[in-house]
Amino acid sequence: VPLNMAMYSSLRDAGMGPHSGLFAGVALSTAVETAATGWSERFGVHMGLRQIGSYGESYRICREARGSALGGAYAGATALWIRNFAWNFTFFEWKRLLHNAVEETPEWSPELFRRHLDWLRTLEKKDQANILTFEAATLGTYLTFFNMAADNVKTKMQHDPAKFSSFTGTCGIIWSQHGPMGFVRGSLFKGFYLILGATVAIGIQERLTEIMAALVRR
């Protein structure tokens, strides 16, 4: 989150504006995140689902299946980037919209949303922020098709790198076997832990940093 906000602030101030700056900043920070954690997530999925007890054995299987050392280490990394970018960007945009709505009710707001905003204004700032984080995480999770689709592609590529050796090939197999619904299978339940995890993690960060100061009213 701090890296997201730092890149967003720099790009916004450089003239990209609030939305394009956020888009580019999240894309770059997600690339850094994927480079730093993509290899470890591949180990976790591959070894956990295939019951492989050795890191070396897991890496050997993936390296031979993908044909290169880097490809073996980062199997599924493209899908991982798409998943994380889609969620991060939509989360922050929803977070911005909701926080700004609390500051000033939008003219387009339906009555039920206006009542919700009035209730949020009665809460302490820290409690208000936690609820808005939960709401933004929920909207970002279940209204972002690419988030869930990319997670399914990533998991297949990391689970069986020999069968699912490329991003486009994996997408083709999913489509041929299950159609468009194959990309979001299991998304209802996967969304639960993503929302809860984000609410707790970002809620803690919001109490320790001023990340929303970079978004609200900009």
Side-chain angles (χ1 to χ4, degrees), residues 56-75:
E57 178 67 9
S58 172
Y59 179 52
R60 182 191 64 78
I61 292 171
C62 289
R63 185 177 67 248
E64 292 177 354
R66 299 297 301 279
S68 69
L70 193 63
Y74 284 93

Side-chain angles (χ1 to χ4, degrees), residues 12-208:
R12 181 200 64 215
D13 295 341
M16 292 194 70
H19 300 288
S20 296
L22 182 64
F23 185 94
V26 171
L28 291 172
S29 64
T30 303
V32 174
E33 174 191 354
T34 302
T37 65
W39 60 273
S40 63
E41 177 148 347
R42 187 209 64 76
F43 273 121
V45 172
H46 190 232
M47 296 176 68
L49 295 181
R50 299 285 293 273
Q51 298 296 298
I52 298 173
S54 165
Y55 285 97
E57 178 67 9
S58 172
Y59 179 52
R60 182 191 64 78
I61 292 171
C62 289
R63 185 177 67 248
E64 292 177 354
R66 299 297 301 279
S68 69
L70 193 63
Y74 284 93
T78 298
L80 176 64
W81 180 88
I82 293 173
R83 183 197 73 176
N84 290 353
F85 167 75
W87 191 89
N88 290 341
F89 178 68
T90 52
F91 168 79
F92 282 121
E93 283 289 12
W94 279 113
K95 195 89 159 83
R96 186 212 310 270
L97 184 149
L98 292 170
H99 274 270
N100 285 342
V102 171
E103 294 296 319
E104 182 179 342
T105 303
E107 295 183 0
W108 49 262
S109 301
E111 182 60 28
L112 184 61
F113 186 47
R114 290 175 182 271
R115 292 180 182 178
H116 181 59
L117 294 176
D118 289 338
W119 172 71
L120 286 171
R121 293 178 185 122
T122 66
L123 304 177
E124 294 184 15
K125 288 293 184 180
K126 61 182 181 180
D127 297 326
Q128 183 185 105
N130 286 340
I131 291 174
L132 292 177
T133 295
F134 173 79
E135 293 176 349
T138 301
L139 293 167
T141 297
Y142 289 117
L143 297 183
T144 309
F145 169 79
F146 289 104
N147 171 37
M148 294 301 182
D151 187 71
N152 279 336
V153 174
K154 173 200 72 69
T155 302
K156 285 184 178 297
M157 293 182 68
Q158 293 175 342
H159 170 253
D160 191 345
K163 180 179 180 180
F164 304 103
S165 59
S166 71
F167 178 83
T168 54
T170 303
C171 290
I173 292 174
I174 293 174
W175 181 275
S176 65
Q177 292 181 346
H178 307 289
M181 291 303 296
F183 291 99
V184 293
R185 296 179 74 188
S187 59
L188 177 64
F189 297 100
K190 283 190 291 185
F192 289 161
Y193 75 79
L194 182 60
I195 292 167
L196 293 176
T199 301
V200 172
I202 297 176
I204 292 172
Q205 286 190 329
E206 283 190 318
R207 292 173 184 245
L208 301 176

